[in-house]
């Protein structure tokens, strides 16, 4: 029987797809929002507020049986910014869930980056959040998803890379031997919906990717680009000093605009890590889900 899910992050890229999936499955969704709600859909209730506001969080989880916590800080100029949202905010939400007395399941959208907490502020904050949630979840079945890089409709971070690829230019960040992995957002959203109805499992940091064993090399991405555009793709290595310079420019412009930067020196360490290959097999085994969208198909179809 479908029930009510409290969802955070629905105003963002991944959260919107998760909401669509849950609503299509017949769940009712209560979604936290920091801005004026733009959509009005049957079975969707917007709850104004922020992860910082305990009253809003109590209202968010009211009447729900499950929480899907997808809100997260993905850009930032300091470790404190990531910790504030990803660690403190997540714990506040767990507190509200526990206080309600009726939340049975809590899914935390972590990141594959949490596999290497020393690489970046973001990675560290996700790892610490996982640990803290696991330490305090008592009585609630906690799920941890560690998706790799997610792409699809509404994505702003990977889109430029794929757009350049299909124009014939692929900027290579990191070593030529690096391994990368990806997942289409609809496969991720499907996994979330499936986790909610599957038999509860002991807490485990599940990796999610498109199922390509050992992921992709830069050269493989170049080949795929060539296959899809039916023309050459130039693979252009971006030297580390250039990346650092770009990060410094991004930080400077973020100070002027007041917006948090995506590219920082901290983020570069994450982006240039040599192995971001992943395996979906543990999650597939436990919840009977498997990714169905391959990157080459998505590139051919304009990423949908
Ligand atoms: N995109 C990826 O490749 C990827 C990969 C692995 C994991 N993830 C994780 O997936 C989640 C969603 O990522 P995304 O790519 O969809 O990011 P996004 O588009 O930036 O969305 C982030 C969402 O979190 C909300 N949010 C941020 N801080 C909040 C706060 N203090 N209180 C309430 N809501 C807050 C945002 O609300 P506003 O709209 O009000 O800003 C937005 O809805 C994140 O936890 C991220 O770490 C993403």
């Amino acid at each position: 029987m479908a029930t009510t899910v409290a969802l955070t992050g629905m105003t963002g890229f991944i959260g919107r797809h998760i909401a669509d999936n849950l609503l299509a499955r017949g769940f009712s969704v209560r979604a936290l929002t920091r801005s004026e709600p733009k959509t009005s859909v049957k079975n969707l209730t917007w709850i104004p507020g922020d992860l910082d506001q305990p009253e809003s969080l109590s209202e968010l989880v009211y009447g729900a049986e499950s929480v899907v916590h997808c809100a997260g800080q993905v850009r930032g100029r300091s470790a404190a910014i990531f910790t504030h949202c990803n660690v403190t905010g997540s714990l506040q939400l767990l507190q509200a869930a526990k206080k309600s007395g009726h939340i049975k399941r809590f899914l935390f959208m972590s990141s594959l980056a949490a596999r290497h907490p020393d690489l970046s502020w973001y990675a560290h904050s996700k790892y610490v959040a996982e640990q803290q949630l696991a330490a305090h979840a008592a009585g609630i079945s906690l799920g941890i998803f560690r998706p790799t890089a997610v792409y699809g409709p509404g994505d702003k971070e990977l889109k430029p890379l794929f757009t350049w690829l299909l124009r014939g230019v692929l900027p290579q960040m990191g070593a030529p031997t690096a391994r990368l992995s990806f997942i289409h957002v609809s496969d991720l959203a499907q996994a979330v919906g499936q986790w909610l109805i599957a038999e509860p499992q002991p807490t485990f940091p599940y990796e999610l990717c498109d199922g390509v064993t050992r992921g992709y090399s830069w050269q493989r991405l170049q080949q795929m680009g060539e296959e899809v555009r039916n023309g050459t793709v130039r693979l252009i290595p971006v030297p580390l000093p250039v990346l650092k310079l770009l990060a410094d420019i991004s930080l400077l412009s973020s100070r002027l605009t007041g917006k948090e930067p995506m590219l920082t020196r901290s983020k570069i360490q994450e982006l240039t890590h040599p192995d971001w290959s992943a395996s979906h097999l543990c999650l597939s085994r436990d919840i009977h889900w498997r990714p169905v969208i391959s990157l080459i198909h998505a590139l051919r179809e304009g990423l949908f």
Side-chain angles (χ1 to χ4, degrees):
M1 189 188 67
T3 54
T4 300
V5 180
L7 174 66
T8 67
M10 187 183 158
T11 53
F13 159 49
I14 295 172
R16 182 169 64 81
H17 291 270
I18 292 175
D20 288 347
N21 189 288
L22 299 184
L23 290 166
R25 285 171 180 267
F27 285 102
S28 294
V29 173
R30 295 172 74 78
L32 190 69
T33 178
R34 302 193 287 187
S35 46
E36 200 56 43
K38 293 186 187 79
T39 47
S40 167
V41 180
K42 192 171 163 249
N43 293 334
L44 170 66
T45 308
W46 289 103
I47 309 295
D50 192 292
L51 290 169
D52 275 339
Q53 297 165 332
E55 332 74 62
S56 303
L57 299 181
S58 301
E59 180 64 15
L60 177 71
V61 298
Y62 180 78
E65 289 76 23
S66 311
V67 172
V68 174
H69 178 31
C70 184
Q73 188 77 37
V74 296
R75 314 165 154 245
R77 73 195 72 193
S78 72
I81 286 172
F82 289 99
T83 303
H84 179 73
C85 176
N86 294 346
V87 180
T88 314
S90 300
L91 284 173
Q92 299 237 80
L93 180 59
L94 180 68
Q95 280 313 75
K98 285 169 80 173
K99 236 166 110 182
S100 78
H102 46 70
I103 297 288
K104 296 184 180 67
R105 311 176 73 141
F106 187 113
L107 182 62
F108 175 53
M109 192 61 72
S110 182
S111 163
L112 193 61
R115 201 164 72 179
H116 299 292
D118 296 337
L119 283 182
S120 67
W121 298 321
Y122 172 70
H124 187 258
S125 69
K126 287 289 189 180
Y127 174 76
V128 174
E130 290 180 357
Q131 299 292 307
Q132 299 270 323
L133 290 172
H136 294 96
I140 294 181
S141 171
L142 174 70
I144 295 175
F145 274 14
R146 284 182 174 179
T148 183
V150 187
Y151 68 92
D155 155 53
K156 295 193 186 91
E157 311 301 344
L158 281 175
K159 183 87 199 281
L161 183 79
F162 293 135
T163 303
W164 278 109
L165 175 67
L166 296 180
R167 284 183 186 152
V169 177
L170 178 60
Q172 173 198 306
M173 288 162 284
T177 52
R179 309 298 304 183
L180 312 164
S181 57
F182 303 94
I183 185 168
H184 193 276
V185 67
S186 64
D187 274 339
L188 172 56
Q190 184 69 9
V192 171
Q194 189 62 26
W195 180 86
L196 284 168
I197 58 168
E199 203 54 39
Q201 301 290 330
T203 302
F204 181 81
Y206 291 116
E207 295 184 358
L208 292 92
C209 66
D210 65 3
V212 172
T213 312
R214 293 271 301 125
Y216 302 85
S217 63
W218 285 102
Q219 209 184 6
R220 177 63 192 131
L221 283 184
Q222 179 189 25
Q223 281 168 359
M224 289 196 307
E226 290 182 338
E227 276 171 55
V228 173
R229 72 190 298 270
N230 206 10
T232 54
V233 170
R234 285 182 62 209
L235 183 60
I236 302 179
V238 186
L240 194 57
V242 173
L243 277 177
K244 287 182 176 168
L245 181 68
L246 291 173
D248 293 347
I249 294 169
S250 152
L251 189 62
L252 195 67
S253 75
S254 80
R255 289 206 175 106
L256 298 173
T257 60
K259 288 185 180 161
E260 293 300 334
M262 175 50 87
L263 192 66
T264 59
R265 287 190 175 222
S266 168
K267 192 72 182 175
I268 286 173
Q269 294 199 82
E270 197 189 300
L271 289 176
T272 57
H273 183 69
D275 186 8
W276 284 124
S277 59
S279 169
H280 69 290
L281 294 177
C282 291
L283 187 62
S284 290
R285 176 198 64 205
D286 286 353
I287 68 166
H288 308 295
W289 158 88
R290 66 180 181 85
V292 294
I293 300 172
S294 69
L295 180 56
I296 187 130
H297 175 67
L299 282 169
R300 283 206 178 98
E301 299 297 321
L303 304 176
F304 302 10

